Amino acid sequence: MLLIGAGGLGSPASLYLAAAGVGTLGIVDADVVDDSNLQRQIVHSTKRLGEPKVQSAKETLEALNPDVEVKAYEERLTSENVERILGDGWDVIVDGADNFPTRYLVNDASVWHGMRVVHGSIYRFEGRVTVCKPGDGPCYRCLFATPPPPELAPSCAEGGVLGVLPGIIGSLQASEALKLLLGIGDTLQGRLLLFDALATTVDEVLVKRDPSCPVCGESPTITEYVDYVEFCAGPRVTS
Ligand SMILES: [Zn+2]
């Protein structure tokens, strides 16, 4: 399985996937361990401040389960490297990206490569999860055709994230990813799950494949990678 991000979502997801014995885990992240987000990035520790997150995660995960091989990609996923990284062959992608450019890149690449993706995101007290299976249900662009304007992008918002929220959402992503791998149960394909941590409610929205989707629709208008610009005026909230 390929994890995009070793942050708040990637931490719990990678711990449970490694503990479950998923043989090879790829992790893509360009950041270093920072003490300002250890309240949610629990695959890291104060001992590894300043180390690349992918190396830190690799140490934790391989110590947890020595049978797991962790392939570290110390880079940010871009239109330049996405083909190489996906080309290493993965059964499922666990998308814990903290920004829209990466999320849309993952979606478009997964549609063109026919790879299944478990998307997860958090914003303040709300988390979302959905599963995309190209050719057999909606893709992320069927839900949201294009990213919000940069100034409205949640990843640019100020303020704190309740540390346990990505723990819950990342664990749900691991659960969905394992189900996809094992071919059991009903996944969140065609459903967008919304978790509100303040109200403690779970809602879901049914989503259908959009025939006019710019990527997976009948007449796609997007046929090559789009490099969306990310612009943050304030401190960025990472996953
Ligand atoms: Zn689509």
Side-chain angles (χ1 to χ4, degrees), residues 24-87:
T24 309
L25 290 174
I27 306 181
V28 188
D29 200 307
D31 289 340
V32 296
V33 178
D34 187 297
D35 62 1
S36 69
N37 48 36
L38 284 178
Q39 109 278 23
R40 60 187 186 275
Q41 304 195 0
I42 57 169
V43 78
H44 312 298
S45 72
T46 51
K47 281 186 187 161
R48 307 217 187 95
L49 296 178
E51 275 184 38
K53 280 189 194 171
V54 285
Q55 289 305 330
S56 166
K58 183 178 165 75
E59 279 179 52
T60 304
L61 299 171
E62 290 181 347
L64 175 64
N65 187 346
D67 293 330
V68 172
E69 188 200 331
V70 176
K71 203 164 173 174
Y73 298 92
E74 193 186 331
E75 53 198 314
R76 182 187 167 107
L77 195 74
T78 66
S79 58
E80 304 289 313
N81 61 17
V82 63
E83 288 293 313
R84 167 172 54 82
I85 294 172
L86 263 64

Side-chain angles (χ1 to χ4, degrees), residues 138-142 209-210 213 215-217:
C139 81
Y140 196 80
R141 282 193 194 267
C142 292
R209 194 168 171 193
D210 179 0
C213 170
V215 170
C216 80

